[in-house]
Amino acid sequence: MAVASIAALLAGCGGSGSSQAAGDATANTASAEGQVINIYSWNDEFRTRLEAVYPEVDHTSDDGTVTYLKDGTEIHWVINPNQDGVYQQKLDEALLNQATAAADDKIDIFLSETDYVYKYTDADADVAMPLTDLGIDPDTDLADQYPFTKTTASDQNGVQRGSTWQCCPGLLVYRRDIAKDVFGTDDPAVIGEKVKDWDTLKQTAEELKAKGYFTFASYADTFRVYGNNVSQPWVTAGETTVKVDPLIMDWIESSKEWLDAGYLDKTVKGQFNDDWNKAMGSASKVFAFLLPPWGIDFTLAPNWDGVDGTWAVCNPPMTYNWGGSYVHACTGTDNPEHVKDIILSMTANKGNLIKISKDYQDFTNTVSGMQEASTDDSFASSFLGGQNAYAYYAPVAENIQIAPLSAYDQGCVELIQNSFSDYFQGNVDFDRAKENFETAIKERYPDITDVQWPE
């Protein structure tokens, strides 16, 4: 489905009056609600956290596809992979059928990621209900959330149409053993000074290289730091031109320079592949990664084959956020009371969010809770050798200014990296890489007519 057509196509799900109709439904008693709550997502992250803290959970099926609540309601988990846009395709198909679907087949909750949340919070699409229509007041019920997460979950009119339990500030995660070998210390305060900005980090990269180490595994490792600080959206609402931000060009220039200088491992092409995973192992010569909390939990820790305490965290060279899963009430849900309760329990209940942080090391979405965690030794990580990462995450989170979003972000982010990977590797020249991106983005989004590069 072409992303620009989402509003027109999905308007048929309910139209301009659908949100109010769903809001009126909250007046019904819970007993009048449906027997099945359908939740669409791309992995089991939300399910595991819900089952850990939501007080209405009774038990879960052996295969993890159904969660049974104490009142007899069943949560059915509809999981499709995020890769290659499969999740969005399946979700969009279901949204198109929302208005005519049988009650227990309707989508009740769906999740989105920061890279494409804007597509689903669009006011014209009206597929994610305004939280106020559920009886949730963002100004009071969600007052303790990080402001940038509330902005991210809002439509073009500033109406919040989603909420999240997590916040994803990024840090620099480094090998203590390599730090001691090169710098004589693994003190996070000292290392933090050596990576405090790109110019300083470049000097540090030379020191690492002299001892036989790479600063980062791949040019892709630095992309999110640049990409999260752009000053303009990839595509302005109502337009069909992709505008490449100057910071993206800075990333391209520095990536080529760093790769040619030997600061990056030329054998590692991109992320989330076998070579990148191996770069996180004990035999690797890679000093650091730039990761948010989930990056440590879901990627670094599982790929590490050495002893706990080898890795530590410090400040990044620029403040950035990477990722975030947003929870939306679907317009047309026949379970508005259940949906409201789940969203409040999972994204606004401080006690629940603190428990999620304790159990899963998520940096959760309460400013006061994370400030408390940053000085609480019980939040120390055994994987990080007893270091409390929250002390480093909290100040980053409080200073995040979310980059302007567009409905095209996921494709632009993926394809700009894919197209210039060939350039970094010396397979194509700079101009051909630009042409390849222009071709790829127009193929992904047929309504895109032009790509504008900075002067």
Side-chain angles (χ1 to χ4, degrees):
M1 179 186 300
V3 69
S5 63
I6 186 84
L9 286 174
L10 298 186
C13 294
S16 60
S18 59
S19 293
Q20 185 58 51
D24 292 341
T26 61
N28 295 335
T29 63
S31 61
E33 299 210 334
Q35 296 301 302
V36 175
I37 300 170
N38 292 301
I39 300 181
Y40 277 60
S41 187
W42 54 88
N43 61 21
D44 67 354
E45 185 180 22
F46 185 58
R47 176 179 67 81
T48 56
R49 284 141 181 81
L50 181 142
E51 290 173 351
V53 303
Y54 187 47
E56 302 308 314
V57 170
D58 184 75
H59 69 284
T60 303
S61 63
D62 291 340
D63 62 4
T65 61
V66 180
T67 300
Y68 298 90
L69 303 184
K70 294 174 181 177
D71 66 1
T73 305
E74 300 177 3
I75 297 178
H76 290 195
W77 300 94
V78 184
I79 308 299
N80 288 290
N82 230 343
Q83 289 78 12
D84 301 317
V86 173
Y87 169 69
Q88 291 186 66
Q89 178 185 346
K90 296 294 186 182
L91 174 59
D92 292 350
E93 290 172 355
L95 287 170
L96 285 173
N97 295 321
Q98 180 77 344
T100 57
D104 284 345
D105 293 332
K106 289 182 182 295
I107 307 170
D108 297 289
I109 290 174
F110 66 92
L111 277 73
S112 72
E113 286 194 300
T114 302
D115 279 349
Y116 52 84
V117 61
Y118 193 82
K119 168 181 172 182
Y120 293 102
T121 57
D122 185 287
D124 295 326
D126 196 25
V127 295
M129 288 174 59
L131 295 184
T132 52
D133 285 3
L134 284 172
I136 296 173
D137 183 348
D139 292 335
T140 55
D141 296 325
L142 309 180
D144 200 25
Q145 290 191 341
Y146 285 90
F148 83 89
T149 67
K150 299 175 71 173
T151 300
T152 302
S154 298
D155 65 22
Q156 60 268 46
N157 303 315
V159 175
Q160 193 165 343
R161 292 176 177 260
S163 186
T164 182
W165 75 92
Q166 65 183 171
C167 178
C168 300
L171 298 178
L172 186 137
V173 192
Y174 64 92
R175 288 265 297 265
R176 294 179 186 270
D177 54 338
I178 294 177
K180 288 179 180 177
D181 183 33
V182 178
F183 313 120
T185 178
D186 65 348
D187 185 341
V190 176
I191 304 304
E193 279 298 306
K194 298 186 76 66
V195 302
K196 64 183 179 181
D197 55 51
W198 290 121
D199 289 340
T200 304
L201 187 50
K202 185 177 177 182
Q203 298 171 15
T204 300
E206 194 61 40
E207 292 183 70
L208 287 161
K209 177 186 174 184
K211 282 274 197 164
Y213 298 107
F214 301 111
T215 303
F216 301 117
S218 164
Y219 37 82
D221 286 346
T222 60
F223 180 84
R224 294 289 176 164
V225 185
Y226 286 91
N228 189 246
N229 285 283
V230 298
S231 59
Q232 62 182 357
W234 284 96
V235 181
T236 301
E239 297 184 4
T240 59
T241 297
V242 170
K243 296 177 182 177
V244 182
D245 192 271
L247 265 183
I248 300 299
M249 302 309 293
D250 289 348
W251 169 74
I252 293 170
E253 180 180 349
S254 66
S255 294
K256 180 65 171 171
E257 178 186 354
W258 281 47
L259 193 64
D260 290 347
Y263 304 152
L264 310 173
D265 187 344
K266 289 188 176 181
T267 67
V268 182
K269 303 172 184 178
Q271 294 176 313
F272 304 102
N273 53 39
D274 188 54
D275 288 335
W276 191 66
N277 292 338
K278 287 179 179 176
M280 296 178 175
S282 59
S284 170
K285 295 292 186 179
V286 172
F287 171 62
F289 290 85
L290 291 157
L291 297 171
W294 60 260
I296 296 177
D297 184 38
F298 279 94
T299 56
L300 183 59
N303 284 316
W304 177 243
D305 58 351
V307 298
D308 281 357
T310 305
W311 293 90
V313 300
C314 68
N315 52 271
M318 291 177 73
T319 296
Y320 73 102
N321 179 81
W322 181 4
S325 301
Y326 287 84
V327 185
H328 307 280
C330 190
T331 297
T333 174
D334 62 324
N335 291 283
E337 286 292 341
H338 280 92
V339 170
K340 173 187 177 181
D341 193 50
I342 288 171
I343 290 177
L344 286 175
S345 184
M346 297 301 298
T347 72
N349 183 303
K350 183 177 175 179
N352 286 348
L353 295 178
I354 289 292
K355 178 172 171 53
I356 289 173
S357 290
K358 274 279 181 69
D359 292 353
Y360 296 96
Q361 296 293 300
D362 282 3
F363 187 91
T364 48
N365 198 16
T366 62
V367 177
S368 64
M370 294 300 92
Q371 288 174 341
E372 293 167 13
S374 70
T375 59
D376 184 342
D377 290 342
S378 69
F379 283 82
S381 164
S382 58
F383 178 74
L384 297 175
Q387 186 183 25
N388 184 351
Y390 292 87
Y392 294 86
Y393 285 125
V396 172
E398 291 172 17
N399 288 289
I400 289 171
Q401 299 292 324
I402 196 68
L405 301 174
S406 84
Y408 301 79
D409 289 354
Q410 185 180 33
C412 289
V413 165
E414 291 176 358
L415 297 176
I416 198 82
Q417 293 184 75
N418 292 347
S419 299
F420 279 90
S421 177
D422 287 334
Y423 165 64
F424 299 146
Q425 297 294 332
N427 298 326
V428 300
D429 63 21
F430 179 75
D431 288 336
R432 177 53 63 88
K434 290 172 65 176
E435 292 172 7
N436 289 345
F437 173 69
E438 292 177 5
T439 299
I441 202 68
K442 291 174 183 176
E443 288 178 351
R444 175 76 69 92
Y445 305 117
D447 54 304
I448 291 297
T449 58
D450 189 33
V451 175
Q452 181 178 312
W453 302 90
E455 296 295 332

